[in-house]
Amino acid sequence: MNLINADAIKKVLQDNGVKPSLQRIKIYEFLTTQKSHPTVDEIFVSLAPELMTLSKTTVYNTLNLFVEKKIITSILVEENEIRYDSDITNHGHFKCIKCKKVYDFSYDLSKHAIAELSDCAITEYHAYIKGICNKCL
Amino acid sequence: MNLINADAIKKVLQDNGVKPSLQRIKIYEFLTTQKSHPTVDEIFVSLAPELMTLSKTTVYNTLNLFVEKKIITSILVEENEIRYDSDITNHGHFKCIKCKKVYDFSYDLSKHAIAELSDCAITEYHAYIKGICNKCL
DNA sequence: GTATCTGCAAAACATTTGCAATTCT
DNA sequence: AGAATTGCAAATGTTTTGCAGATAC
C-alpha cells in the first residue's frame, strides 16, 4: 500500500465522518483495490495474515458502518452471502454460477422510469443477473 | 379454497413432477392467492392454524422443491430473508423500507440487452428497488 | 482521562440435515 | 409392503450483541 493511496483513503473516511483506524483503512483499501465484491469471510481471510489480531466482529462492525455512512454498498446475488462494493454508482452485478465470481456490468436502473413507482420515494436501485460467464462456457 | 382452484393447483404440481400432497397444495395455494411475497416464517405462521402438524422443515423442503422444479422463484430484497413468488415471469420488486411490504412492478430486465454479457449464458434476471411507498409517504 | 474502537465469547436467527414416524398407493 | 413425505431435534452457518481491554486524542 503506497502512502499516496493511504492518504486518499483516509480522506474518504474522514470526509464521511469515519475515524480512519488501521483496520478501517485496510478494509476500505481492500474493497477499492480488489474489485471482487468480497464477502465478510473473504475480507477477513484476506486481511487476517496482515492484521494478525483482526476479528470478524470488527469486519462486520466496519462494513456496517461504511454502509450506514454510504461509503460502500451491500449487494445481494445469493441468499446466503452479503457482498460489498466500494463502487457506489448504480450498476449491475452478474454472478457466474460455475466459477462463483461476481462481475460488474454497466446498467443504471434509475434511468429507466417505472410508471408504477412514480409516486414512491426511491432510495436504492439494484439489478443482478445469474448465468455462466464466457470463461466457463 | 374452492375445488376448481384445488384441481388447477394439483395440475400445476403434477405437470411439474411434484406429487400434490396436502401441505404442498396449501403452500402453493397460499403463494398464488396471497401475492405478498411471503417469507418462510410468514407462510408457516399463516398455514399453521389450518395444518396443525405443519413444521417449518416441511415449508423449507417444499419451497426448495418448488424452486428446483421452477414452479416458483425465490427473490432477494433484504439480506436476512428469502421471499417467494409464484409469478415466474420476469418482473421487478419494490420494498418499502417503512411498511416492509414488497410490491411488484412490471419490468423485464431481459429486454434490455447488456453488451458486456453478450457472450454469457444467462439463466436469471432480477431487478429490485427500495424506498418508501406512496401510502407511507 | 475520557471517548471510541477492537475483538472475544455468547446469543440470536435462518436454514439444512439425519432420522424416525407417518402417509399414500 | 414399499416408496415417498412429513416433522422433530440437532447441527450448521452467518450476523449481532454484551462487555472488557486496548487505543487514540
Side-chain angles (χ1 to χ4, degrees), chain B residues 40 44 54-64:
Chain B
V40 167
F44 175 74
L54 185 66
S55 78
K56 260 193 189 174
T57 303
T58 298
V59 180
Y60 277 108
N61 287 342
T62 301
L63 292 169
N64 287 341

Side-chain angles (χ1 to χ4, degrees), chain B residues 66-104:
Chain B
F66 287 175
V67 170
E68 190 189 308
K69 299 288 188 180
K70 298 192 196 305
I71 299 173
I72 65 173
T73 51
S74 67
I75 62 176
L76 290 175
V77 190
E78 211 76 75
E79 52 268 29
N80 53 348
E81 57 185 34
I82 309 179
R83 292 176 175 273
Y84 294 90
D85 195 341
S86 64
D87 179 355
I88 55 171
T89 62
N90 278 326
H91 62 280
H93 295 104
F94 171 80
K95 177 160 181 176
C96 174
I97 55 177
K98 263 199 174 172
C99 67
K100 315 291 186 196
K101 285 207 191 84
V102 176
Y103 301 89
D104 286 325

Side-chain angles (χ1 to χ4, degrees), chain A residues 109-122:
Chain A
L109 186 57
S110 72
K111 295 243 172 75
H112 300 258
I114 290 145
E116 290 140 293
L117 304 178
S118 59
D119 51 359
C120 302
I122 294 175

